[in-house]
Amino acid sequence: PCSAPIAELCKLAENSYRDVNIAFANELSIICHQLGIDIRDVTALANKHPRVSILDAGIGVGGHCIAVDPWFIASEFPEKTQLIQTARKVNLDKTNWVVSQIQHSAKTFGELVARPPKLALFGLAYKPNVADVRESPAVEIARALKKKGHVILCVEPHVEHFDGLELVSADNACEQADIGIFLVKHDYFSTLRKKLERFDIKLDFCGLLEKLQSVDYLENCRDRKSV
């Protein structure tokens, strides 16, 4: 048996450890983007090393544990937790980075087609195949885009209603939206591959598609000027 303080710190340490490891993957993903390299290719090769296990990059960190527990340690030891606090900042910044990438694509589309695009956001939960949206970075992304004036259609098969955000079916999103944005890797979305092909512009932040789609905006958008 262990004491209550050991058990409590163990729980906080576990989630802080995961947060730090996720932060490394998220930071590496931004570097790969700058270099024009697929993060999954780098991760797959690096993980062949027997002592390396890089996690999958995503849109940030959510849930009621990993996104929260590190702060309990940091608040008690603010001068001794530089790594923990930096990991929190990296993961929060990754969510903001995703918003900026979506805005850039929306701006490019609008300039080429002379109208603002409708954005389909796939996934609001904080992780795949759950209905839990607590501390979800996907929700933060959706709210940020809506606040900035974008027309967004949210697809979340595990939630029936969400205040402040319009939920639509996957079929409706694929029919109405111009840009498909994949935030959460729900198994259900993997069954929609044929329908998702409808989007000329796909932004895959969760590894739903086998490969990131390289988009030639000019070529793809010329055909949409008459829409």
Side-chain angles (χ1 to χ4, degrees):
C2 67
S3 66
I6 291 176
E8 181 62 24
L9 182 56
C10 180
K11 175 63 174 177
L12 300 180
E14 289 172 353
N15 287 321
S16 297
Y17 173 86
R18 295 176 67 193
D19 196 43
V20 169
N21 281 271
I22 294 170
F24 178 79
N26 282 334
E27 189 167 81
L28 185 61
S29 71
I30 295 176
I31 294 171
C32 286
H33 177 81
Q34 291 293 106
L35 295 172
I37 296 173
D38 191 328
I39 177 62
R40 282 160 291 193
D41 290 338
V42 175
T43 300
L45 184 58
N47 285 349
K48 291 184 181 297
H49 191 291
R51 292 181 297 280
V52 174
S53 182
I54 301 174
L55 301 179
D56 292 333
I59 58 174
V61 173
H64 198 57
C65 294
I66 301 178
V68 176
D69 285 358
W71 291 123
F72 287 106
I73 301 178
S75 64
E76 288 294 321
F77 304 96
E79 303 299 326
K80 304 294 184 181
T81 52
Q82 295 182 32
L83 179 61
I84 291 174
Q85 293 182 58
T86 299
R88 278 282 72 230
K89 182 179 184 301
V90 168
N91 286 328
L92 290 171
D93 286 348
K94 181 61 185 292
T95 302
N96 296 329
W97 181 84
V98 170
V99 173
S100 69
Q101 293 301 304
I102 296 171
Q103 283 193 282
H104 173 74
S105 292
K107 180 181 178 181
T108 303
F109 180 97
E111 291 174 348
L112 292 170
V113 185
R115 66 173 177 83
K118 291 184 178 180
L119 311 178
L121 306 184
F122 288 82
L124 291 179
Y126 85 89
K127 70 177 183 178
N129 306 320
V130 302
D132 195 341
V133 295
R134 290 178 296 176
E135 311 295 331
S136 172
V139 171
E140 293 304 313
I141 290 167
R143 286 173 172 166
L145 292 171
K146 182 178 180 180
K147 185 176 181 180
K148 294 176 185 296
H150 296 284
V151 177
I152 61 172
L153 304 173
C154 299
V155 182
E156 178 45 74
H158 300 283
V159 176
E160 294 183 0
H161 176 75
F162 196 91
D163 290 337
L165 296 175
E166 180 183 1
L167 297 184
V168 302
S169 68
D171 285 344
N172 286 340
C174 292
E175 291 172 0
Q176 297 181 41
D178 303 292
I179 301 177
I181 302 162
F182 311 114
L183 302 177
V184 185
K185 196 176 180 181
H186 290 315
D187 288 345
Y188 169 68
F189 294 154
S190 297
T191 69
L192 305 174
R193 289 189 179 275
K194 291 294 183 181
K195 295 178 181 178
L196 299 181
E197 289 177 358
R198 181 263 175 199
F199 295 112
D200 286 333
I201 300 176
K202 308 178 188 70
L203 304 179
D204 182 9
F205 296 104
C206 64
L208 179 68
L209 306 179
E210 290 184 1
K211 290 288 184 180
L212 288 172
Q213 302 294 316
S214 59
V215 179
D216 183 334
Y217 292 103
L218 182 60
E219 179 180 344
N220 287 336
C221 292
R222 276 175 177 163
D223 294 336
R224 287 177 168 269
K225 288 188 177 180
S226 61
V227 177

